[in-house]
Amino acid sequence: MRRRRLSAVASVGLLVCALAVPAQAATAAGETVDVVVDAADIDAGNRNGLTFKGFGVLSANSTSALLLDYKAQHPAAYTRLLRVLFGGERPIMTHFKIEMGNDRNNSTGPDPATKRTATEPANVARAPGFQLAADAKKVNPDLKVSILRWNAPAWADTNDEIYQWYKETILAAHRRYGYMVDYVNPGVNEAVADLAWTKRYAELVRTDTTGFRPGEADLYRRIKLVISDEAGIGSFGPAMVGDADLRDVVAAAGYHYNTDDDSGGNFTRLADEFDKEVWNSEAQATFSNSALRPNNNTPDPTVPGTGLGGSGSSLEMANTIVKGFVKSRRSHFIYQPAIGSFYEGGQYSFKELVSARDPWSGWMHYDAGLAVLQHFSSFANTGWENGSGTAGIWRLMPRASMSTATGTNPVVGRNGLPDYLTMAAPDATGFSTVIVNDSEYPRTYRITPTGFRLGAHPRLTAWETRAAGPGQRFDANYKRRAGVLRGDAGGTYTIGVKPFSIVTVTSLDVTRDRQWTTPLPVDGRRPVLDADPRRGVLWADRFDYRGKPGFIESRGGDTGADPLYTWDRNGAFEAVRTSDDGYVLRQQVDRAATGVGRAWNSADPITGVGDLRWTDYQAGVDVRFERAPAADNYAAIGARSTGGGSSHSLGGTPYALRLNSTGTWQLQRTGTIIASGTLDGFDATAEHRLAIRVTGATVTGLVNGTQVAVWTDPAPFLSGRVDLASGFHHTRFDDLRIERVPGHAPYYQRYHDNLETGRLTYGGVWRHTNGRGMFEYHRTASISQGPGATISHTFTGTGLDIIGANDGTARIDVRVDGALVAANQPARSSTNFQQTFEVAGLAPGRHTVTLEVVAGTLIVDAVGVR
């Protein structure tokens, strides 16, 4: 699901495509592209394979971890998100896919298991996907819902037990939220399909008569099957084509991160000949923040400043849609994740359409990728056709679509050759052609519709999305009307398509469509989590939520509810009502009681809370062991966590104080023991308080109020969140409190991405890039290109930090307010989100700091202002 680097939606400039000439004849960059859209080519009788189903959201592996916190803390922001994604007459998203979790890491993190034991009733409230789907269906009642799994809970290790887990979960969702799941993949995500089990599962769904309430069995038997969600071209194409019995039980064929068909063209045949749905059942959205892309200066291939297009862009995503249909008849595209609602630094960060990482503020980023998807979804009636074929879902037209993009993961369309997709009403009353021009070359398209019922003097309209021009706001050219097109004497319409743009040419009048004409929301203020400044408390939680009626019940109930602002990366940390301690945060995966299921990234349980921008603070928590002392039984609190490749384990936490159930303690730096000892008179059954204080480069550990360790890090991590961790045993945490330290700044006043060139000023030669690695802020970096490269920033504060992965070769001259204050200073070797260079101790006030690279290379990922 997550390990492929996919492409991003494209931008182009025109319409329908049924090239009347071979692909080689009119493909040179700069030549006019002729597109014939012939109504006779609309296959109205094909109700599944060629119906354009639009796009889907995938909620899985902890990517929705914070979204219900938005619902609780900022319901207006949450409601707006639902309306943007699922609302309107022609919604962007038509499908909500849920990957059921087993409390173990499946890349970004775990999702809660709905059944932790065979006898536990299924609890869908503690798994966010089911509630999110329910809320989305309130906005769009026609929304489809599907489920699948990767790993299963420890108890479900046979197919019969898997079936029971699925069935009880499906019925629990219906009873709690009122919807029946539409599609199920009975197999394992990103694994070769078990075809015998697929047939058996279909038989069970069709013949099962036990455990249903009135009316449920009929709905349950309508569930359709999808296989196989393989990563890459599906291996099951020949079997589907050659086995009529298999085709009878499988409604949709889906695979991930590859646009192509198999060597036999079987998936194209499934759609065209057998009228079967073919999905890109896990696709990739925009790699980066599109608002920052215009500040990129890296040639792609020769022109810098690609804006909306280029590597990892939303135009690249669009070309994946075009090529996916042309090459393998994909008629549906599901994004993993569409909504990134987990903290920065998590695995597969910043490959999303919406970023929702600050539930305390309601802040969200709506990426230009959504506007690009609307170039498809807003210009057709999308979804699933009904049995009588009267729903009016538009058909995709293979003979009026073309892709010349290269590659499959990513798809690259920078050659300037034709890429377009055409959709049409089954009764020939309308059509739309989406043109993607993810290149630096302008293109001209001539579109000739024939046989359509468009009226005596039809006019077509062109709508365009492209990057901002000089001096414009980043979204100034999103979803703009490019013009009304009038046909020539031969009924041909001509349009010019700008470089790095997407254009839809349509017969529809969308001027009254509020979903299309309303601009996407623009990021607002993004305040730091500072819960009670007067009392010096950044965040505190006793996990009882007394001031929030219904909160516990809505998120799982007294036996385990999703707490505020936490992001699990392994295990399951839930608010639980106990008989002796009241409500506590309890780690729920226990070797004896639940067993431990398999994981993608295997490690002990760990969760995080708080703000990436926190700097100096003290964090404390009460811990209690429910199990007898054991070598692998412990509780820990960590500081300045920022994610990264090891963030699924305590070894990825910069600083941690660990208390073992045997009474020994350790102070760790990224898993390495810095100091250790044994507590006198330790009582393993008692409650103990762990605290860790981070101030500058100094780390202090305290147990039960007594200082046990102080250490100064020569290469410190200087900012990040708080972590809690344990072994796979029931372990309690309570009274979490994260506080300011007097005399120290608790957080950055500002945290700037390196491509915020309106705030940061670069001099000399720098390479500004985007579409980079998942552990870089917004997947961007600025890299000095030799001596004399400078970065300047004017701010109000006491200093600034340069953040990013560096090799430590840079030597830097420092100027403050024009005066040289330090020369030839070394930068530190550092990892992602770690500070490589600081300017500190300035008098409070307004300053201009200029750093000049005099030797070596400096990589700037972000700048933190103190």
Side-chain angles (χ1 to χ4, degrees), residues 10 70 73 81 117 133 161 177 309-310 336 412 440 470 474 488 490 500 505 519 566 674 815:
Y70 277 86
Q73 303 295 84
L81 170 68
T117 66
E161 289 167 333
Y177 298 122
Q336 150 53 26
V412 180
E440 60 199 49
F474 72 92
D488 62 16
F500 297 112
V505 177
T566 57
I674 300 300
R815 289 177 174 81

Side-chain angles (χ1 to χ4, degrees), residues 541-563 574-586 588 621-622 624 626 687 731-736:
D541 200 339
R542 302 201 64 172
F543 309 107
D544 56 11
Y545 306 110
R546 293 174 186 171
K548 294 182 174 298
F551 181 91
I552 292 286
E553 174 59 25
S554 70
R555 297 157 74 110
D558 285 347
T559 60
D562 178 30
E574 294 177 343
V576 174
R577 187 173 186 175
T578 65
S579 59
D580 51 348
D581 282 342
Y583 284 99
V584 299
L585 182 71
R586 186 186 196 227
Q588 299 277 64
V621 69
D622 295 334
R624 182 191 293 270
E626 292 187 17
E687 186 175 81
T731 304
R732 300 181 186 183
F733 300 82
D734 201 7
D735 196 15
L736 173 67

Side-chain angles (χ1 to χ4, degrees), residues 79-165:
T79 299
R80 181 174 67 175
L81 170 68
L82 295 176
R83 288 175 178 164
V84 169
L85 294 182
F86 305 102
E89 183 181 352
R90 296 185 175 96
I92 302 173
M93 299 296 172
T94 59
H95 177 191
F96 200 104
K97 179 178 177 181
I98 303 165
E99 184 176 300
M100 298 207 299
N102 71 330
D103 298 315
R104 298 300 314 281
N105 181 289
N106 282 334
S107 72
T108 304
D111 264 18
T114 58
K115 283 174 60 68
R116 294 193 170 114
T117 66
T119 58
E120 179 189 27
N123 186 342
V124 293
R126 66 185 176 214
F130 292 94
Q131 187 170 162
L132 299 176
D135 291 339
K137 281 186 74 70
K138 293 174 185 175
V139 177
N140 175 14
D142 293 329
L143 186 80
K144 300 296 184 184
V145 179
S146 69
I147 63 170
L148 79 163
R149 77 184 193 279
W150 192 328
N151 290 305
W155 66 270
D157 58 0
T158 69
N159 281 339
D160 286 343
E161 289 167 333
I162 292 293
Y163 175 79
Q164 198 63 26
W165 176 37

Side-chain angles (χ1 to χ4, degrees), residues 39-360:
D41 293 331
I42 302 171
D43 191 349
N46 187 308
R47 298 175 181 176
N48 302 295
L50 295 178
T51 45
F52 181 43
K53 297 157 199 72
F55 308 108
V57 169
L58 175 58
S59 178
N61 42 283
S62 203
T63 57
S64 300
L66 304 174
L67 204 49
L68 292 183
D69 297 338
Y70 277 86
K71 182 177 180 179
Q73 303 295 84
H74 288 276
Y78 177 77
T79 299
R80 181 174 67 175
L81 170 68
L82 295 176
R83 288 175 178 164
V84 169
L85 294 182
F86 305 102
E89 183 181 352
R90 296 185 175 96
I92 302 173
M93 299 296 172
T94 59
H95 177 191
F96 200 104
K97 179 178 177 181
I98 303 165
E99 184 176 300
M100 298 207 299
N102 71 330
D103 298 315
R104 298 300 314 281
N105 181 289
N106 282 334
S107 72
T108 304
D111 264 18
T114 58
K115 283 174 60 68
R116 294 193 170 114
T117 66
T119 58
E120 179 189 27
N123 186 342
V124 293
R126 66 185 176 214
F130 292 94
Q131 187 170 162
L132 299 176
D135 291 339
K137 281 186 74 70
K138 293 174 185 175
V139 177
N140 175 14
D142 293 329
L143 186 80
K144 300 296 184 184
V145 179
S146 69
I147 63 170
L148 79 163
R149 77 184 193 279
W150 192 328
N151 290 305
W155 66 270
D157 58 0
T158 69
N159 281 339
D160 286 343
E161 289 167 333
I162 292 293
Y163 175 79
Q164 198 63 26
W165 176 37
Y166 274 35
K167 176 186 174 182
E168 291 183 30
T169 298
I170 290 168
L171 294 180
H174 180 257
R175 291 164 187 174
R176 185 173 185 108
Y177 298 122
Y179 64 84
M180 185 65 70
V181 164
D182 297 286
Y183 287 86
V184 170
N185 179 346
V188 178
N189 183 62
E190 297 199 339
V192 175
D194 183 337
L195 302 183
W197 166 237
T198 298
K199 292 180 180 179
R200 172 62 178 155
Y201 188 95
E203 181 184 7
L204 290 170
V205 169
R206 186 177 63 252
T207 60
D208 196 345
T209 60
T210 62
F212 296 105
R213 295 177 182 176
E216 287 181 338
D218 288 342
L219 295 173
Y220 185 78
R221 293 188 185 108
R222 297 176 194 170
I223 291 173
K224 298 178 180 180
L225 299 195
V226 54
I227 58 171
S228 68
D229 286 286
E230 291 177 53
I233 296 175
S235 63
F236 57 96
M240 283 283 288
V241 168
D243 186 342
D245 292 336
L246 183 62
R247 289 198 307 274
D248 284 344
V249 301
V250 175
Y255 51 95
H256 302 172
Y257 304 127
N258 195 301
T259 55
D260 292 348
D261 205 335
D262 62 23
S263 59
N266 288 297
F267 291 98
T268 299
R269 290 189 62 193
L270 282 173
D272 291 352
E273 298 177 30
F274 297 101
D275 196 11
K276 287 293 178 182
E277 303 175 36
V278 184
W279 298 356
N280 188 335
S281 51
E282 191 172 303
Q284 176 176 292
T286 305
F287 267 59
S288 67
N289 180 324
S290 293
L292 300 172
R293 294 187 74 90
N295 302 322
N296 160 65
N297 71 355
T298 302
D300 195 3
T302 66
V303 175
T306 55
L308 198 70
S311 176
S313 70
S314 53
L315 292 186
E316 192 173 85
M317 178 179 70
N319 263 336
T320 300
I321 297 167
V322 175
K323 189 175 183 184
F325 172 70
V326 171
K327 298 297 184 182
S328 54
R329 293 299 184 269
R330 314 297 252 287
S331 59
H332 185 44
F333 302 83
I334 305 167
Y335 291 100
Q336 150 53 26
I339 309 168
S341 199
F342 57 97
Y343 290 132
E344 295 96 339
Q347 196 170 36
Y348 301 99
S349 291
F350 304 112
K351 55 165 248 182
E352 59 223 26
L353 297 166
V354 180
S355 301
R357 294 192 162 89
D358 294 359
W360 48 85

Side-chain angles (χ1 to χ4, degrees), residues 110 190 408 489 512 727:
E190 297 199 339
T408 63
R512 297 181 184 86

